Amino acid sequence: MKTKLTLAVAAAALATGAGSAQAENLTLCWAAWDPANALVELSKDFEAQSGHTMSFEFVPWTSFADRMLNELNSGGRLCDLMIGDSQWIGGGAENGHYVKLNDFFDANNISMDDFIPATVTGYAEWPKNTPNYWALPAFGDVVGWTYRRDWFERPALQAEFQETYGRPLDVPATLEELKDIAQFFQGRDIDGTTVYGAAIYTERGSEGITMGVTNALYNYGFQYGSPENPYELDGYVNSPGAVAGLEYYKELYDTATPPGSSNWYMGENIDAYRSGQVAMQMNFAFIWPGVHADPNVGGERSGYFPNPAGPEGQFAQLGGQGISVVAYSEKQDAALEYIQWFAQPEVQAKWWELGGYSALRSVLEDPGFADSQPYAQTFLDSMAIVKDFWAEPSYAELLLAMQARVHDYVIAGNGTAQEALDGLTEDWTEIFEYEGKL
């Protein structure tokens, strides 16, 4: 591996502008999805200004973690820049996969105070809540909801819903109201087609059902651990509220989702919604630009709302990623140039315009932001209520345990919610005991 430029030399090289350093071909690794296409377009400006060229390695979400974590764990040199998932930050830092960026940020006047705090904690920091940065917040994302506004506004359906539930058919304020709406639409005839209530995350193979069920668990009282000891799990992971939240998610799946939706994640939910199968879909916010532009469900036909509240508060599962310089890259100086370029406010503003979700406060707090897109306010409201999954180096083991326990109960119907969460508590405790954290 080539010796990395010192941060001071790298900063000086960046400050002299395009053309002063040897032109490099940088490879950026990320997931294969719509925002990646927007980043390709955005990066053309970097190529023109820097003299470097950009290549991209995009991998479908269902195999993204396996492919890229294998690349990092093997010390591979495919990726110079990695937009890694938020949960990878602990492993990226502790295993030496990512370059620590503190000195580089200081030398180039890049301040984490300029980014939405939740994205700094979620995408950049390790250990959490310490000023140790391993990434620049790159793509803000969060689970929210899309709904068929045109169906909700039909007078006949409004009248029937009002008579049945005693309230207007409108955006739900609580998870219970969401379930009522989903059950109201379940099996209903809309324009000669049988439709269903909601598409929710149920996929077992990667992270899907975990990224879905947490939107209920958090709001019913689930916590990852004791506030005094984050690895003290019993009574928090499997609390009575957490059990009620898991039971809620199973009931929603059993009574208000399309047949055959036992292994759905982002793509399947998008397809179901765009094809007119469901009244609502759970999905990450990245889909909203595509929904708005869709010829079948776009424009005024769709609306957007944050994950509704539960008995213990209103939270939503954080998605999104930070961009890191891979420690095994032989082109770290040029990769740092890309980070510096990407952090500029004008670049971040264009990133939003192209369909990327900037985490820069000057973009999101601009007075015109909330009205810039029909989903912009929902994005702001959602990013204000985020929680995230474990970001420990053992993230993969923790995730696999939750995927199995939750899917076996919610989808396969095995055992009880209490048994599922008791088992998960045991699984996670064993992992942390093995690591010496308990």
Side-chain angles (χ1 to χ4, degrees), residues 79-121:
C79 309
D80 304 299
L81 292 152
M82 174 77 74
I83 302 185
D85 222 353
S86 58
Q87 292 92 0
W88 302 2
I89 199 73
E94 293 195 12
N95 296 323
H97 299 325
Y98 294 161
V99 173
K100 190 174 183 181
L101 297 175
N102 287 59
D103 290 345
F104 175 74
F105 287 166
D106 290 343
N108 290 278
N109 298 315
I110 297 172
S111 173
M112 291 296 96
D113 292 340
D114 293 337
F115 292 83
I116 297 298
T119 68
V120 176
T121 301

Side-chain angles (χ1 to χ4, degrees), residues 61-367:
W61 272 114
T62 49
S63 52
F64 177 56
D66 284 345
R67 172 73 177 85
M68 290 306 167
L69 290 177
N70 285 338
E71 176 70 19
L72 292 173
N73 289 330
S74 66
R77 298 181 181 179
L78 169 65
C79 309
D80 304 299
L81 292 152
M82 174 77 74
I83 302 185
D85 222 353
S86 58
Q87 292 92 0
W88 302 2
I89 199 73
E94 293 195 12
N95 296 323
H97 299 325
Y98 294 161
V99 173
K100 190 174 183 181
L101 297 175
N102 287 59
D103 290 345
F104 175 74
F105 287 166
D106 290 343
N108 290 278
N109 298 315
I110 297 172
S111 173
M112 291 296 96
D113 292 340
D114 293 337
F115 292 83
I116 297 298
T119 68
V120 176
T121 301
Y123 309 154
E125 291 179 351
W126 189 262
K128 295 298 183 186
N129 301 308
T130 70
N132 295 282
Y133 306 121
W134 305 88
L136 181 90
F139 187 86
D141 207 359
V142 58
V143 172
W145 292 84
T146 318
Y147 73 101
R148 286 299 299 267
R149 180 178 172 184
D150 54 344
W151 295 358
F152 277 47
E153 292 177 349
R154 294 190 178 190
L157 294 180
Q158 288 183 334
E160 181 182 345
F161 189 89
Q162 179 73 45
E163 182 177 353
T164 303
Y165 293 97
R167 66 174 190 274
L169 176 55
D170 202 350
V171 169
T174 67
L175 288 172
E176 284 297 323
E177 290 181 2
L178 184 146
K179 184 175 65 177
D180 288 344
I181 294 170
Q183 291 172 342
F184 175 76
F185 279 101
Q186 183 75 355
R188 181 172 292 276
D189 182 281
I190 300 285
D191 299 332
T193 299
T194 300
V195 305
Y196 302 96
I200 65 174
Y201 289 165
T202 58
E203 182 262 359
R204 177 168 180 163
S206 61
E207 63 175 13
I209 197 165
T210 298
M211 295 296 101
V213 72
T214 47
N215 296 280
L217 292 178
Y218 296 153
N219 296 349
Y220 275 81
F222 169 98
Q223 297 182 63
Y224 286 102
S226 163
E228 290 75 31
N229 178 4
Y231 305 112
E232 180 186 335
L233 312 179
D234 193 28
Y236 298 91
V237 172
N238 55 351
S239 67
V243 170
L246 188 55
E247 290 172 341
Y248 168 89
Y249 202 76
K250 178 170 175 55
E251 184 180 359
L252 186 64
Y253 171 73
D254 286 342
T255 65
T257 61
S261 61
S262 61
N263 196 38
W264 283 17
Y265 197 18
M266 295 178 282
E268 292 83 2
N269 286 16
I270 293 169
D271 291 344
Y273 186 81
R274 288 180 171 175
S275 61
Q277 295 181 52
V278 292
M280 298 180 290
Q281 70 157 321
M282 160 190 283
N283 225 320
F284 285 109
F286 84 90
I287 71 158
W288 292 339
V291 168
H292 182 61
D294 188 271
N296 297 317
V297 299
E300 295 298 315
R301 285 167 287 195
S302 289
Y304 315 90
F305 61 88
N307 191 49
E312 298 297 325
Q314 184 176 13
F315 305 99
Q317 175 60 49
L318 180 70
Q321 302 87 34
I323 183 169
S324 299
V325 175
V326 177
Y328 314 113
S329 167
E330 296 183 332
K331 306 169 186 175
Q332 291 181 19
D333 50 344
L336 289 166
E337 282 190 61
Y338 188 92
I339 297 281
Q340 184 188 27
W341 167 82
F342 186 72
Q344 296 176 89
E346 60 270 24
V347 174
Q348 288 291 303
K350 187 172 181 180
W351 181 218
W352 167 250
E353 292 171 4
L354 290 174
Y357 282 78
S358 174
L360 192 67
R361 293 178 61 177
S362 65
V363 175
L364 275 65
E365 295 174 359
D366 184 277

